[in-house]
Amino acid sequence: MPYGEYPYSIDDKGRVVIPPSFREFVEDGMILTRGMEGCLYIFPLSSWRRVEEQLEGLPLTDRDSRAFVRFFYSGANKARLDNQSRVSVPQTLRTFAALESEVIVAGAPNRLELWNPQRWDEAILAVQDDPPRPELLANFTP
């Protein structure tokens, strides 16, 4: 699993360097898509297949399910690292995540996340100031 957070720049062409400790995680290709809280998710292809199965399992007759699939799946873009270990982030996704010149590349279970640094700080402070409900962490033992 990838873990840690790394500040990087995003160049004028929308390319972001993937940190060395995360490169093996996505070396076989990846899917970039919209994430929650205004970030982008990067799934290695093997994890994306499981995500697709879950999305396909959502009921087509449920309005919320259709909306979530539309949000998540329509933003998906297949990508590979270039020779300089960069990934190209499409303009629509850069706009969604407010990625301009700086970006935080963060690890998470089964994915990477790309964040606007201000949004990242706000998200971290929000958890610090208002931790998750105890029942969500009932089986969590650090």
Side-chain angles (χ1 to χ4, degrees):
M1 288 300 146
Y3 55 90
E5 63 183 79
Y6 302 89
Y8 276 90
S9 296
I10 187 165
D11 70 16
D12 294 342
K13 296 181 181 179
R15 297 174 299 196
V16 176
V17 173
I18 297 298
S21 61
F22 295 162
R23 291 176 190 163
E24 186 176 325
F25 185 66
V26 294
E27 70 185 352
D28 294 329
M30 67 198 93
I31 300 291
L32 289 82
T33 193
R34 294 180 195 99
M36 301 290 101
E37 292 92 27
C39 74
L40 300 180
Y41 290 164
I42 299 178
F43 293 96
L45 290 179
S46 59
S47 292
W48 179 252
R49 289 184 193 100
R50 290 189 299 275
V51 170
E52 279 185 314
E53 290 171 6
Q54 292 177 15
L55 293 173
E56 289 170 358
L58 294 174
L60 183 60
T61 56
D62 181 73
R63 177 183 215 121
D64 290 340
S65 293
R66 288 191 313 271
F68 181 73
V69 168
R70 191 175 300 122
F71 166 83
F72 202 65
Y73 204 79
S74 67
N77 288 268
K78 195 172 189 178
R80 295 190 72 80
L81 293 178
D82 68 12
N83 292 336
Q84 296 176 5
S85 300
R86 299 174 300 193
V87 62
S88 184
V89 181
Q91 181 62 52
T92 55
L93 294 180
R94 291 194 315 262
T95 299
F96 169 80
L99 301 180
E100 295 171 5
S101 60
E102 301 299 316
V103 62
I104 301 295
V105 183
N110 299 319
R111 69 182 183 277
L112 304 178
E113 296 181 350
L114 298 182
W115 286 85
N116 167 294
Q118 181 179 347
R119 287 184 182 178
W120 173 254
D121 290 343
E122 290 167 0
I124 295 301
L125 287 174
V127 174
Q128 178 182 328
D129 292 344
D130 186 19
R133 297 181 314 272
E135 60 270 18
L136 290 178
L137 302 176
N139 296 322
F140 182 71
T141 54

